[in-house]
Amino acid sequence: MSKPMVKTPEGRAKLEAWHQTFRARIPTPTTVRKIPTAFGETQVLVAGPAEAPPLIVLHGALASSAHLLVELGPLLSRFRVYAVDIVGQSVMSADARIPVEGNAYGQWLVEVLDALALPRTHVLGVSWGGFVALRLAAHAPERIGKLALLVPAGMVNGKPLEGLFRVGLPMMVYSAFPSPRTLKRFVRNLLTTLDDDWMPYLGDAFLNYRMDMRIPPLAKPEEFAAFTAPTLVMAADDDVSFPGPAVLQRAKVLFPNLVTSELITDCRHSPPTTDAFRQWLCGRVGAFLEGAPVPVAAQASR
């Protein structure tokens, strides 16, 4: 039997409190759905007009639905957004590890879509959530209207030595000697914005979660032979985990239906968490999902 995802009850309470802190900052009201699946209970935060087009959003590792909805606030007036807490990657869903091999994550997400009565929906996946979205595209391509991926896992991997020196060793130092100084040294190669609650949250997350060290297998073109949904891929130019230029090159191989791809400049793995960037990002994603021409305007200043 695997160990619990969170090390202690006190740690779980702290991470659940962080979820509520971020949820309180979502610019529109949210409701909670609890969905039973074969892989464990799954929480979904729902926001936006009931009559608007549906959009499933999938957060990154060790984050939650609330974290992502804060960053996607400008989309909440245009879409009915279902932010899914990924089993095994959010304290708000079941304490379980879904296999990364095969399409188990796709099977899990199909169960969630069925419970939400969403036969077809747009999907946005960020980081680990991008990997989950890829598994859905491979397992049930007909369920996706349009697909948007932001710094996605499961397409390429970074250089191991660079990851070790820029992220791995600073993480080990922070874990052994947690302090504001060692935390900043650790996250400065992960976060683009260092002056908000994302940094202290990640400090608590890395101390209290048992890290899921499994590396998702890389997607193969043949897995998407039946996937015809228009696809948008956005990557970061200074992403240690999933180097942006390599992601965009891989996107051309994986998705013949790639509509556009974009390299976000001056950006770490976690993009800026500023109002200016939120407006820019949601403008790009919203235009793609709604079928309008994707604007060529310059990236928002950060």
Side-chain angles (χ1 to χ4, degrees):
M1 180 180 295
S2 61
K3 294 181 179 180
M5 180 172 58
V6 181
K7 296 176 183 177
T8 65
E10 295 77 15
R12 173 172 288 277
K14 184 175 291 188
L15 295 171
E16 290 176 351
W18 271 117
H19 173 83
Q20 297 304 330
T21 295
F22 277 83
R23 185 180 177 190
R25 296 175 184 166
I26 298 169
T28 62
T30 58
T31 57
V32 175
R33 291 281 304 272
K34 297 286 189 178
I35 296 173
T37 77
F39 301 91
E41 185 177 73
T42 300
Q43 174 176 284
V44 180
L45 278 188
V46 185
E51 69 279 5
L55 170 62
I56 288 283
V57 299
L58 302 160
H59 61 80
L62 305 186
S64 78
S65 55
H67 291 77
L68 186 52
L69 284 184
V70 171
E71 305 309 319
L72 299 180
L75 288 178
L76 300 183
S77 63
R78 302 162 68 175
F79 297 91
R80 181 67 163 177
V81 180
Y82 300 85
V84 184
D85 281 281
I86 298 173
V87 169
Q89 292 293 345
S90 169
V91 74
M92 304 309 296
S93 282
D95 189 344
R97 298 292 193 195
I98 296 179
V100 296
E101 298 79 12
N103 287 329
Y105 263 114
Q107 295 164 11
W108 161 75
L109 194 50
V110 163
E111 290 191 43
V112 174
L113 296 181
D114 288 346
L116 294 172
L118 295 175
R120 187 173 175 88
T121 179
H122 300 323
V123 176
L124 167 62
V126 180
S127 189
W128 187 279
F131 161 67
V132 176
L134 289 174
R135 292 302 92 209
L136 177 65
H139 175 64
E142 73 283 357
R143 306 301 292 266
I144 300 177
K146 292 185 178 180
L147 174 65
L149 301 172
L150 176 61
V151 296
M155 290 176 60
V156 302
N157 289 323
K159 299 177 182 178
L161 281 179
E162 183 180 14
L164 174 65
F165 284 106
R166 292 185 63 185
V167 178
L169 291 177
M171 179 178 69
M172 288 187 281
V173 172
Y174 171 67
S175 298
F177 307 102
S179 72
R181 180 176 59 86
T182 58
L183 174 60
K184 187 171 184 178
R185 285 184 177 178
F186 164 38
V187 301
R188 67 186 178 187
N189 286 313
L190 293 174
L191 301 179
T192 307
T193 304
L194 295 174
D195 59 356
D196 63 9
D197 274 348
W198 272 93
M199 183 163 70
Y201 166 74
L202 280 180
D204 282 345
F206 277 99
L207 290 179
N208 289 287
Y209 274 111
R210 285 189 172 88
M211 294 289 293
D212 186 348
M213 303 304 292
R214 299 174 300 169
I215 298 175
L218 299 185
K220 300 175 182 178
E222 55 267 27
E223 295 182 283
F224 306 106
F227 179 62
T228 59
T231 300
L232 164 69
V233 178
M234 307 180 81
D237 67 338
D238 192 20
D239 188 336
V240 177
S241 302
F242 315 121
V247 169
L248 299 190
Q249 286 298 318
R250 186 66 174 160
K252 296 175 184 178
V253 175
L254 292 175
F255 308 119
N257 45 342
L258 184 68
V259 172
T260 188
S261 60
E262 180 147 3
L263 186 68
I264 307 172
T265 58
D266 302 317
C267 185
R268 305 281 201 257
H269 176 64
S270 178
T273 51
T274 63
D275 285 339
F277 187 81
R278 291 172 187 131
Q279 290 290 341
W280 178 85
L281 174 67
C282 293
R284 301 288 264 183
V285 172
F288 164 71
L289 296 178
E290 291 173 339
V294 178
V296 185
Q299 190 177 169
S301 61
R302 300 183 294 278

